[in-house]
Amino acid sequence: SNMTSFFAKLEARVNEVDSLLCVGLDPHSKEISSDDVKTPEDKCAAAFTFCKTIIDATLPYAACYKPNAAFFEALGAQGEATLERVLKEIPSNVPILLDVKRGDIGSTAAAYAEACYEHLKADAVTLSPLMGWDSVSPFVTESYADKGAFLLCKTSNPGSNDILALNLANGETLYERIAKLAQDWSTSSGASLGLVVGATDSVALANVRKAAGEKAWILAPGVGAQGGDLEAALRAGMNSAGTAMLIPVSRGISRAEDRAAAAKELRDKINETRNKLKSEESSSSGDAIQPYQKEFLEFSLSEGVLKFGSFVLKSGRTSPYFFNAGLFATGAALDKLGRSYASAIMAAPQLVDEKGRVNFDVLFGPAYKGISLGAVAAAALYRDYGVDVGYAYNRKEAKDHGEGGKLVGAGMTDKRVLVIDDVITAGTAIRESHEMLSTIGAKMVGVVIALDRAEKRSLEDPVSAVQAVERDLSVSVTSIVNLQQLQLFLEKSPDYGNDVLATVKEYRSKFGV
């Protein structure tokens, strides 16, 4: 697309004000009604003043403005003229994204485009793409090739699952198909197309980023009023350069006591997360801490699973941290735990080939803790990565009837098995699993654990429990996090003082492998 294209204009503005904040201009009747506002003319005047004060307050922080046409149409006959007046207040270098969500074809679509671009001078629009390319092209090709459109892809309302999340015959969701089509249409026509994906659904954001590629811009509504978690949304939706995502906010700014301060705070909060993600990307992978590892440590701390302090271990050592996976004891915690295991498995080159295929057929959880870990991890592998493996576990006490009454779940004979547990302390449970599996002719390919303490078993035996398992059973052990990453996390986290970091460092230099 030509250099004056919508996204070139947007990127120039994003760089100029160092902001991904898109400021909404939504003069709801509630926002503009007061005792003085009586006639339609009063309403239009109030709407204009409402929008103008927001523009004046937020200009230094706004990457673009997003007026919603509906609130102006609701003002009656003079609504369109009021919107035109409002948009003239926005400097010409600041992109205007007109939120109209049109969806029609032929001369009707062309007429809608004319209204948006000729009269209102918008730079881009939002569209519903369900009628296909011929409902999109009139807004972004020929004389409007320099304009842009954001296509509704996976919106932030709960009802979006009714249609947009449906599975198509080839296994992808409808919203992933929309994301891929946007990329195909952009490539074949040179059109500037972005996507609207709710910030409330980080799984959808990640899927759309994958489907649409690095360059596509995503508009992610739902931060603030609808409660989307900003950091999770940015992590999932931004491209690897930490951009290509706009965060629209309306009420979070319009209802603030100090609108300028609210806009600045939002911009800075977005940038704080952007910078955090960029530094995570850039630190060399050898000692880097991956986003899923950081997330796992943060939520382990919030659930009290991981604690800092002074703890005497069975080995007699005094450890500066303690990890008790039994405290992952809510639905939300189990969901995140499963996702963390799945992320660690899919990031492990010893378990996954370059085509994304795993080298095991069954996930086996030794009783008792392994039973729930195996269940949530197997479910997460399928939900997040489409990887469907068998799941099995053992009973501690054999049933008195039937042969091999100790094993439950997927058959493992002649199968490749990955064993899952929380930690390896002495390695006893893992060795017992290995024996049990070899008895039935299963091949144990590896072990995945939540935390590798990475400390020497004793001064005479300078290998860790994990290394001993790898050495004795010749299998790989993958962990979500290890002691070194825990230390890296503390170095980068402002929430923990240097004293905690110092005790972990000291423990690592004394006992670490």
Side-chain angles (χ1 to χ4, degrees):
S1 45
N2 51 21
M3 257 327 281
T4 54
S5 75
F6 169 71
F7 288 117
K9 178 173 181 174
L10 176 63
E11 278 161 27
R13 176 66 183 175
V14 164
N15 295 335
E16 180 198 342
V17 286
D18 189 21
S19 175
L20 296 178
L21 177 64
C22 164
V23 176
L25 299 173
D26 300 350
H28 289 255
S29 55
K30 275 201 257 313
E31 303 267 9
I32 57 170
S33 55
S34 70
D35 296 344
D36 318 330
V37 177
K38 295 188 175 72
T39 65
E41 290 72 23
D42 293 343
K43 271 193 178 153
C44 289
F48 174 78
T49 307
F50 172 82
C51 295
K52 170 138 174 63
T53 51
I54 291 175
I55 294 166
D56 292 344
T58 58
L59 193 58
Y61 316 109
C64 72
Y65 286 97
K66 184 175 77 69
N68 195 317
F71 298 112
F72 294 91
E73 290 172 18
L75 294 169
Q78 287 305 302
E80 187 96 349
T82 305
L83 176 55
E84 216 171 318
R85 262 184 80 202
V86 165
L87 299 188
K88 286 196 176 113
E89 297 295 321
I90 297 173
S92 61
N93 64 319
V94 183
I96 295 169
L97 168 56
L98 184 60
D99 198 352
V100 285
K101 300 186 179 70
R102 300 288 186 218
D104 214 323
I105 51 169
S107 55
T108 319
Y112 276 138
E114 188 182 332
C116 297
Y117 299 143
E118 304 298 339
H119 299 290
L120 295 168
K121 306 284 190 280
D123 298 292
V125 291
T126 53
L127 299 176
S128 166
L130 289 179
M131 287 172 76
W133 170 238
D134 40 354
S135 70
V136 173
S137 61
F139 292 88
V140 287
T141 58
E142 293 175 15
S143 56
Y144 297 135
D146 59 336
K147 303 296 188 181
F150 283 86
L151 310 183
L152 298 179
C153 180
K154 174 74 177 69
T155 50
S156 55
N157 57 311
S160 69
N161 288 327
D162 295 349
I163 294 173
L164 295 171
L166 293 176
N167 284 310
L168 304 177
N170 68 350
E172 66 185 354
T173 57
L174 179 57
Y175 73 79
E176 287 169 303
R177 171 68 60 84
I178 292 171
K180 282 185 190 144
L181 283 171
Q183 195 184 26
D184 297 347
W185 294 340
S186 300
T187 311
S188 58
S189 68
S192 298
L193 298 176
L195 295 156
V196 181
V197 183
T200 45
D201 187 342
S202 50
V203 173
L205 275 166
N207 291 342
V208 167
R209 172 56 68 202
K210 207 152 116 196
E214 283 280 285
K215 289 200 176 75
W217 276 81
I218 293 176
L219 180 76
V223 168
Q226 294 170 37
D229 171 351
L230 182 62
E231 181 164 341
L234 289 167
R235 270 181 193 282
M238 282 193 315
N239 64 9
S240 53
T243 182
M245 188 165 172
L246 282 175
I247 306 291
V249 177
S250 300
R251 283 169 286 188
I253 293 170
S254 67
R255 295 188 179 168
E257 290 287 305
D258 182 339
R259 289 164 169 170
K264 179 179 191 302
E265 188 187 335
L266 278 160
R267 180 201 64 177
D268 294 348
K269 207 164 143 190
I270 294 166
N271 285 351
E272 204 179 295
T273 300
R274 286 170 82 193
N275 295 332
K276 207 151 94 178
L277 297 182
K278 272 193 256 183
S279 72
E280 282 171 17
E281 289 280 333
S282 63
S283 49
S284 69
S285 59
D287 65 345
I289 179 159
Q290 296 303 311
Y292 72 87
Q293 295 172 320
K294 185 168 173 294
E295 210 169 281
F296 175 72
L297 287 169
E298 283 172 348
F299 104 85
S300 296
L301 285 160
S302 71
E303 296 287 329
V305 166
L306 176 60
K307 288 194 171 77
F308 296 117
S310 180
F311 306 92
V312 180
L313 306 179
K314 281 186 195 145
S315 60
R317 291 176 192 168
T318 302
S319 165
Y321 71 97
F322 191 68
F323 183 83
N324 174 7
L327 295 173
F328 288 123
T330 65
L334 289 169
D335 182 64
K336 284 188 179 144
L337 181 61
R339 177 171 301 162
S340 300
Y341 272 111
S343 301
I345 289 168
M346 296 309 288
Q350 62 273 22
L351 297 176
V352 183
D353 69 14
E354 56 287 350
K355 288 201 170 134
R357 292 178 301 217
V358 294
N359 69 356
F360 58 94
D361 310 299
V362 180
L363 199 52
F364 174 74
Y368 288 101
K369 254 186 199 147
I371 297 179
S372 56
L373 298 177
V376 295
L381 276 170
Y382 178 67
R383 180 193 62 211
D384 295 345
Y385 299 98
V387 171
D388 190 12
V389 294
Y391 158 63
Y393 59 91
N394 66 304
R395 291 198 179 84
K396 289 235 175 171
E397 51 296 308
K399 272 195 176 169
D400 49 9
H401 51 271
E403 184 51 36
K406 279 199 166 185
L407 295 171
V408 188
M412 292 184 286
T413 302
D414 297 331
K415 292 282 199 286
R416 303 164 301 170
V417 177
L418 178 66
V419 175
I420 186 168
D421 215 336
D422 55 350
V423 289
I424 293 180
T425 315
T428 321
I430 301 298
R431 287 163 213 273
E432 284 172 0
S433 297
H434 185 263
E435 208 169 302
M436 200 183 328
L437 292 169
S438 49
T439 315
I440 61 161
K443 178 176 167 30
M444 175 169 160
V445 294
V447 183
V448 62
I449 55 174
L451 173 76
D452 176 2
R453 291 191 61 105
E455 56 186 71
K456 301 168 193 158
R457 294 203 292 185
S458 66
L459 300 176
E460 301 77 67
D461 187 3
V463 296
S464 71
V466 163
Q467 288 168 332
V469 164
E470 291 185 310
R471 177 192 67 191
D472 300 345
L473 305 178
S474 53
V475 295
S476 67
V477 177
T478 303
S479 60
I480 302 174
V481 288
N482 60 26
L483 180 58
Q484 182 189 358
Q485 284 150 348
L486 179 61
Q487 182 180 320
L488 268 169
F489 171 78
L490 288 170
E491 282 167 7
K492 292 183 173 180
S493 168
D495 302 337
Y496 297 93
N498 289 331
D499 48 337
V500 174
L501 177 60
T503 58
V504 170
K505 268 188 172 161
E506 184 194 346
Y507 189 77
R508 192 172 159 218
S509 66
K510 203 160 154 190
F511 299 113
V513 289

